[in-house]
Amino acid sequence: MKEKNATGILSAPFMTKTIKVINDMWLKGWAERNGGNVSYRLDKNKVGEYLDELSGVRTIQLFNEVRELAGEYFLVTGSGKYFRNVILDPEANLGILKIADDGKSYTILWGLTNGVKPTSELPSHLLSHISRMRATNGSSRVIIHTHATNLIALSYVLELTTENFTKWLWEMSTECLVVFPEGVGVIPWMTPGGEPIGRATAAAIEKHALVLWPFHGVFGAGRDPDEAFGLIDTAEKAATILVKVLSMGGKRQTITDSQFRELARGF
Ligand code: 13P
Ligand code: ZN
């Protein structure tokens, strides 16, 4: 028989790692007000250690059927909640929900106290999870949406195609091609919070672990909170360099195409 976890769900590694990454986004300046949201598809075995802390009667209909996610548990941020407050009161700002066996609704089993709902971007998160599960044979578990400052700024200046945005960012740091070899997917501006932007994001994120929402932010995916955060952080660093380069009058030299090919061969 499994021993009861002595320290409780607030000390679970999935919880502490998520809270750390959320606070890091605040410190980075990407999370003004309630900007951004996170979802973590939890390993059922790991959730199993805390079942005695998970109970709930609040069941909410989903925007659409997500049969692929039936029975999955997600740790999510609350709608309207400020990232800077998560560290102070995780239970009021985060929640754990379970998708029903028919994929049509979910039940809140922990957190999101005082009637708070999961993030308004739940359609984009859940549909993106389905895409990344397919793309990575199930190893992808975390989706982060954040308002990364310089990536947003560049969406006003660079031509909004996947090829163009990707090439500019790759050129700004040698590590970029290695960290996001499949490039940054760019979708058109769309109204946030709905299923249509969720479908567009999910289609793009199946091919690119990082997707740009022009004039708004990015969606990044990874195996764990660190990997999803690291991906966005790397692209945002390149975007910061590019903003400086453009402010200094533009590039005078860069990584050449043959150097990129050499780099690709090396990794
Ligand atoms: P939520 O507070 O509902 O998560 O919305 C924040 C956001 O960034 C919307 O795109
Ligand atoms: Zn947003």
Side-chain angles (χ1 to χ4, degrees), residues 32 34-37 121 145-147 192 213 216-219:
E32 76 290 343
N34 64 314
N37 23 80
E121 303 293 2
H145 164 59
T146 189
H147 298 172
W213 280 10
H216 183 148
V218 288
F219 265 74

mmCIF file of all heavy atoms in Angstrom, residues 32 34-37 121 145-147 192 213 216-219, ligand 2:
data_model
loop_
_atom_site.group_PDB
_atom_site.id
_atom_site.type_symbol
_atom_site.label_atom_id
_atom_site.label_comp_id
_atom_site.label_asym_id
_atom_site.label_seq_id
_atom_site.Cartn_x
_atom_site.Cartn_y
_atom_site.Cartn_z
ATOM 1 N N GLU A 32 1.642 41.430 -16.438
ATOM 2 C CA GLU A 32 0.904 42.561 -15.869
ATOM 3 C C GLU A 32 -0.517 42.123 -15.499
ATOM 4 O O GLU A 32 -1.096 41.275 -16.149
ATOM 5 C CB GLU A 32 0.867 43.729 -16.886
ATOM 6 C CG GLU A 32 -0.108 43.568 -18.045
ATOM 7 C CD GLU A 32 0.290 42.488 -19.056
ATOM 8 O OE1 GLU A 32 1.449 42.066 -19.076
ATOM 9 O OE2 GLU A 32 -0.600 42.080 -19.834
ATOM 10 N N ASN A 34 -3.709 40.402 -14.755
ATOM 11 C CA ASN A 34 -3.972 38.957 -14.844
ATOM 12 C C ASN A 34 -3.413 38.358 -16.142
ATOM 13 O O ASN A 34 -3.825 37.276 -16.556
ATOM 14 C CB ASN A 34 -5.476 38.685 -14.768
ATOM 15 C CG ASN A 34 -6.229 39.281 -15.938
ATOM 16 O OD1 ASN A 34 -5.990 40.450 -16.280
ATOM 17 N ND2 ASN A 34 -7.122 38.540 -16.555
ATOM 18 N N GLY A 35 -2.464 39.074 -16.777
ATOM 19 C CA GLY A 35 -1.920 38.605 -18.060
ATOM 20 C C GLY A 35 -1.276 37.238 -17.952
ATOM 21 O O GLY A 35 -0.489 36.991 -17.042
ATOM 22 N N GLY A 36 -1.624 36.360 -18.877
ATOM 23 C CA GLY A 36 -1.024 35.035 -18.969
ATOM 24 C C GLY A 36 -1.804 33.959 -18.241
ATOM 25 O O GLY A 36 -2.657 34.248 -17.388
ATOM 26 N N ASN A 37 -1.535 32.708 -18.602
ATOM 27 C CA ASN A 37 -2.171 31.550 -17.964
ATOM 28 C C ASN A 37 -1.327 30.308 -18.222
ATOM 29 O O ASN A 37 -0.568 30.257 -19.185
ATOM 30 C CB ASN A 37 -3.620 31.347 -18.463
ATOM 31 C CG ASN A 37 -3.870 31.970 -19.813
ATOM 32 O OD1 ASN A 37 -3.515 31.390 -20.838
ATOM 33 N ND2 ASN A 37 -4.426 33.181 -19.827
ATOM 34 N N GLU A 121 -8.701 31.255 -21.309
ATOM 35 C CA GLU A 121 -8.040 30.670 -22.482
ATOM 36 C C GLU A 121 -8.033 29.141 -22.439
ATOM 37 O O GLU A 121 -7.247 28.501 -23.131
ATOM 38 C CB GLU A 121 -6.597 31.184 -22.613
ATOM 39 C CG GLU A 121 -6.436 32.693 -22.693
ATOM 40 C CD GLU A 121 -7.008 33.339 -23.958
ATOM 41 O OE1 GLU A 121 -7.577 32.610 -24.792
ATOM 42 O OE2 GLU A 121 -6.905 34.569 -24.076
ATOM 43 N N HIS A 145 0.840 30.403 -21.593
ATOM 44 C CA HIS A 145 0.546 31.608 -22.382
ATOM 45 C C HIS A 145 1.039 32.795 -21.565
ATOM 46 O O HIS A 145 0.715 32.924 -20.382
ATOM 47 C CB HIS A 145 -0.951 31.722 -22.646
ATOM 48 C CG HIS A 145 -1.371 33.099 -23.098
ATOM 49 N ND1 HIS A 145 -0.845 33.686 -24.238
ATOM 50 C CD2 HIS A 145 -2.229 34.000 -22.577
ATOM 51 C CE1 HIS A 145 -1.380 34.894 -24.378
ATOM 52 N NE2 HIS A 145 -2.224 35.119 -23.379
ATOM 53 N N THR A 146 1.855 33.669 -22.204
ATOM 54 C CA THR A 146 2.347 34.833 -21.479
ATOM 55 C C THR A 146 2.515 36.028 -22.412
ATOM 56 O O THR A 146 2.579 35.856 -23.640
ATOM 57 C CB THR A 146 3.672 34.493 -20.743
ATOM 58 O OG1 THR A 146 4.023 35.561 -19.881
ATOM 59 C CG2 THR A 146 4.808 34.202 -21.709
ATOM 60 N N HIS A 147 2.547 37.218 -21.816
ATOM 61 C CA HIS A 147 2.631 38.455 -22.595
ATOM 62 C C HIS A 147 4.092 38.919 -22.648
ATOM 63 O O HIS A 147 4.458 39.925 -22.035
ATOM 64 C CB HIS A 147 1.714 39.515 -21.978
ATOM 65 C CG HIS A 147 0.255 39.134 -21.980
ATOM 66 N ND1 HIS A 147 -0.718 39.875 -21.339
ATOM 67 C CD2 HIS A 147 -0.404 38.086 -22.558
ATOM 68 C CE1 HIS A 147 -1.907 39.297 -21.525
ATOM 69 N NE2 HIS A 147 -1.740 38.208 -22.245
ATOM 70 N N PRO A 192 -9.246 36.880 -28.342
ATOM 71 C CA PRO A 192 -8.823 35.873 -27.368
ATOM 72 C C PRO A 192 -10.005 35.228 -26.647
ATOM 73 O O PRO A 192 -11.125 35.728 -26.711
ATOM 74 C CB PRO A 192 -7.958 36.662 -26.382
ATOM 75 C CG PRO A 192 -8.294 38.089 -26.580
ATOM 76 C CD PRO A 192 -8.868 38.250 -27.964
ATOM 77 N N TRP A 213 0.965 35.007 -30.817
ATOM 78 C CA TRP A 213 -0.313 35.692 -30.998
ATOM 79 C C TRP A 213 0.043 37.169 -31.221
ATOM 80 O O TRP A 213 0.400 37.866 -30.257
ATOM 81 C CB TRP A 213 -1.187 35.587 -29.742
ATOM 82 C CG TRP A 213 -1.926 34.287 -29.557
ATOM 83 C CD1 TRP A 213 -1.780 33.126 -30.248
ATOM 84 C CD2 TRP A 213 -2.956 34.039 -28.583
ATOM 85 N NE1 TRP A 213 -2.630 32.166 -29.761
ATOM 86 C CE2 TRP A 213 -3.366 32.697 -28.740
ATOM 87 C CE3 TRP A 213 -3.560 34.802 -27.584
ATOM 88 C CZ2 TRP A 213 -4.367 32.121 -27.947
ATOM 89 C CZ3 TRP A 213 -4.548 34.228 -26.784
ATOM 90 C CH2 TRP A 213 -4.943 32.913 -26.973
ATOM 91 N N HIS A 216 -0.367 40.479 -28.809
ATOM 92 C CA HIS A 216 -0.943 39.905 -27.577
ATOM 93 C C HIS A 216 0.089 39.120 -26.748
ATOM 94 O O HIS A 216 0.315 39.448 -25.593
ATOM 95 C CB HIS A 216 -2.145 39.017 -27.940
ATOM 96 C CG HIS A 216 -2.860 38.441 -26.755
ATOM 97 N ND1 HIS A 216 -4.210 38.181 -26.727
ATOM 98 C CD2 HIS A 216 -2.404 38.052 -25.536
ATOM 99 C CE1 HIS A 216 -4.554 37.685 -25.546
ATOM 100 N NE2 HIS A 216 -3.464 37.591 -24.810
ATOM 101 N N GLY A 217 0.701 38.087 -27.315
ATOM 102 C CA GLY A 217 1.611 37.267 -26.515
ATOM 103 C C GLY A 217 2.026 36.004 -27.241
ATOM 104 O O GLY A 217 1.987 35.939 -28.471
ATOM 105 N N VAL A 218 2.428 34.998 -26.458
ATOM 106 C CA VAL A 218 2.868 33.727 -27.051
ATOM 107 C C VAL A 218 2.272 32.546 -26.295
ATOM 108 O O VAL A 218 1.860 32.673 -25.140
ATOM 109 C CB VAL A 218 4.407 33.581 -27.023
ATOM 110 C CG1 VAL A 218 5.065 34.501 -28.022
ATOM 111 C CG2 VAL A 218 4.981 33.793 -25.619
ATOM 112 N N PHE A 219 2.251 31.401 -26.964
ATOM 113 C CA PHE A 219 1.947 30.112 -26.354
ATOM 114 C C PHE A 219 3.181 29.236 -26.509
ATOM 115 O O PHE A 219 3.718 29.118 -27.612
ATOM 116 C CB PHE A 219 0.755 29.435 -27.061
ATOM 117 C CG PHE A 219 -0.550 29.690 -26.377
ATOM 118 C CD1 PHE A 219 -1.169 30.924 -26.461
ATOM 119 C CD2 PHE A 219 -1.163 28.689 -25.615
ATOM 120 C CE1 PHE A 219 -2.365 31.173 -25.812
ATOM 121 C CE2 PHE A 219 -2.366 28.927 -24.960
ATOM 122 C CZ PHE A 219 -2.971 30.166 -25.056
HETATM 123 ZN ZN ZN B 2 -3.257 36.905 -22.870
#
